[in-house]
Amino acid sequence: MMESIRSYGLSRLAGIKIDTDELRRRLLMPQYLRLAMLDSITKKDVDGGDQHFPSSGSADVPCPESPMIVFINPRSGGRNGPLLKERLQKLISEEQVLDLEDVKPHEFVRYGLACIEKWANDGDFCAKEIRQNIRIVVAGGDGTVGWVLGCLGELNQNGREPVPPVAIIPLGTGNDLSRSFGWGGSYPFTWKSGIKKALHRASVGPVSNLDSWHVVVQMPGGEVADPPHSLKAAEECSLDKTLEIEGELPDKVNYYEGVFYNYFSIGMDAKVAYGFHHFRNEKPHLAQGPLANKIIYSGYSCSQGWFLTTCTSDPSLRGLKNILKMHVKKVNSTEWEQIPVPKSVRAVVALNLHNYGSGRNPWGNLKPKYLEKRGFVEARSDDGLLEIFGLKEGWHASFVMTELISAKHTAQAASIRMEIRGGEWKEAFMQMDGEPWKQPICNDYSTFVEINRVPFQSVLVNGE
């Protein structure tokens, strides 16, 4: 149990008793606002909860110090997800704990939070205080956290500030985003007071900034089948014109775009993640918790040819050099520079955080002399740079993950352009923050992936 507590990052609170009534008083929103917010979401109408506005005003209604909304992914956390949802609803309220299968994050932003903003602008003092101080908790994996952060990004785009900071209850498999901000790699379900301590820390913890990265996929016709939450079809997204596209463009071009916070990758690691993702959806009863997930994931790594299979035996198992051309903009540079893809590399990862693959640090803690020699700077999650590295066979990846060796350092980049053309390949596998997809490619025309930093940063609560 104590190992689980330390993993969750709440060991400092283990001996502190959190009074339930006091915590609830600090988190619970007034009933009229809770009901108005939920009705607005249900009706998809900012005015949908007007009937709950008190006719006598709300001057005497006590306002919570740390109003909180919890998003929970009940599919995460194995069998414990629904139980955690029930406990959260009892501790706060049913209206403030939103099941992601019923309420999507963008619906909360566009209708629920907008309802509170409307009443705040109309002079409701409690609504104004809540909008100023509200915090979000996400109970789920990295993909779920990224989904919520992406939807909250709409607030920056539309000038609706402040953006609520986000805390995390880690229920996923890797939970690298959670680890990076002090929330640990797993939630201690056996610790009965864990929920109270998590909500307490979420309400008082300091906030930190996090870079986010915008991805544009330009592909020749066709569509991405079953794209993840983080990747949406778009009418048009322009690529950087300072890097000219060689060759002809097809008559029809389709666009997709998305945002990631931890990593983007292309190659064998994404193929393994894609297989695991679909297995988990088809047979959820076999993926009951982080340990079972990791065992299944390891099985897919072996079965997909990353181990014990030579790269020359089949076109689908060859190195990325056969299909990938990569350009980057380096530190303090506005010029594109082509970066060679080593022949042996079968996965390329662009990493924003120190954590990857369940808490590993494949980039490594590099010494100052090496940084200077390579023209690198110390890696940070808010420095506007991505660390790009390569993974070879599964054995190389395994040694990197156990930190016996470092990954194949490629570059640090403020922008990345990848050009993929099929040859004998018919598809490539990509993923962002653990959400994989199968990307169609062809030999006649190239598919382009361009990554640039989003001009505003996300805000997370630090759980340490």
Side-chain angles (χ1 to χ4, degrees), residues 244-257:
E244 295 184 2
I245 295 176
E246 298 179 1
E248 297 181 359
L249 290 175
D251 295 333
K252 183 180 180 181
V253 176
N254 286 342
Y255 299 91
Y256 287 82
E257 64 178 340

Side-chain angles (χ1 to χ4, degrees), residues 268-431:
M268 185 59 74
D269 68 324
K271 183 177 181 180
V272 172
Y274 182 83
F276 168 75
H277 177 78
H278 280 267
F279 178 87
R280 183 174 59 180
N281 287 342
E282 293 172 1
K283 299 180 180 180
H285 59 283
L286 296 180
Q288 297 286 356
L291 179 59
N293 288 341
K294 288 174 182 177
I295 293 173
I296 297 170
Y297 204 97
S298 298
Y300 265 102
S301 297
C302 296
S303 67
Q304 295 302 311
W306 211 359
F307 293 89
L308 301 177
T309 304
T310 61
C311 296
T312 58
S313 61
D314 186 276
S316 65
L317 300 177
R318 294 175 185 167
L320 286 176
K321 182 179 177 63
N322 293 293
I323 65 166
L324 178 63
K325 183 188 294 184
M326 182 164 57
H327 290 80
V328 304
K329 289 182 181 179
K330 291 188 175 180
V331 181
N332 299 323
S333 175
T334 58
E335 300 294 327
W336 288 100
E337 178 182 336
Q338 184 171 350
I339 301 295
V341 179
K343 184 178 180 180
S344 59
V345 165
R346 304 178 68 193
V348 170
V349 182
L351 184 64
N352 187 40
L353 303 177
H354 294 297
N355 288 288
Y356 168 83
S358 300
R360 278 70 173 186
N361 183 7
W363 184 257
N365 297 310
L366 307 183
K367 296 180 179 180
K369 286 186 178 180
Y370 181 81
L371 292 173
E372 184 178 359
K373 178 181 177 181
R374 294 295 304 270
F376 295 158
V377 296
E378 184 179 354
R380 293 170 51 92
S381 61
D382 59 354
D383 60 2
L385 294 173
L386 290 168
E387 282 67 52
I388 306 173
F389 62 88
L391 298 172
K392 303 177 185 178
E393 292 182 331
W395 299 112
H396 176 254
S398 298
F399 288 138
V400 171
M401 292 300 103
T402 54
E403 300 183 4
L404 294 174
I405 60 175
S406 295
K408 197 169 184 64
H409 301 131
T410 304
Q412 283 182 314
S415 296
I416 305 172
R417 167 84 65 85
M418 297 181 180
E419 180 181 355
I420 306 102
R421 183 170 290 202
E424 296 183 63
W425 298 41
K426 303 300 180 185
E427 58 199 19
F429 291 87
M430 304 179 184
Q431 64 172 331

Side-chain angles (χ1 to χ4, degrees), residues 135-152:
R135 291 190 172 195
I136 307 293
V137 175
V138 180
D142 283 352
T144 305
V145 178
W147 184 18
V148 173
L149 288 174
C151 293
L152 291 174

Side-chain angles (χ1 to χ4, degrees), residues 223-229 231 256 274 277-278 281 435-438:
E223 295 181 352
V224 176
D226 192 26
H229 289 299
L231 192 72
Y256 287 82
Y274 182 83
H277 177 78
H278 280 267
N281 287 342
E435 290 193 88
W437 73 92
K438 186 190 296 184

Side-chain angles (χ1 to χ4, degrees), residues 92-141:
I92 311 177
S93 71
E94 291 188 9
E95 297 86 4
Q96 287 176 242
V97 180
L98 305 179
D99 188 323
L100 284 167
E101 293 187 351
D102 301 324
V103 178
K104 304 300 184 282
H106 70 271
E107 295 173 341
F108 165 75
V109 171
R110 296 173 189 176
Y111 307 110
L113 193 60
C115 168
I116 296 175
E117 290 174 349
K118 171 197 166 186
W119 285 17
N121 292 333
D122 288 344
D124 185 273
F125 175 77
C126 196
K128 183 177 181 180
E129 288 293 303
I130 286 175
R131 178 61 186 92
Q132 185 68 28
N133 299 319
I134 194 168
R135 291 190 172 195
I136 307 293
V137 175
V138 180

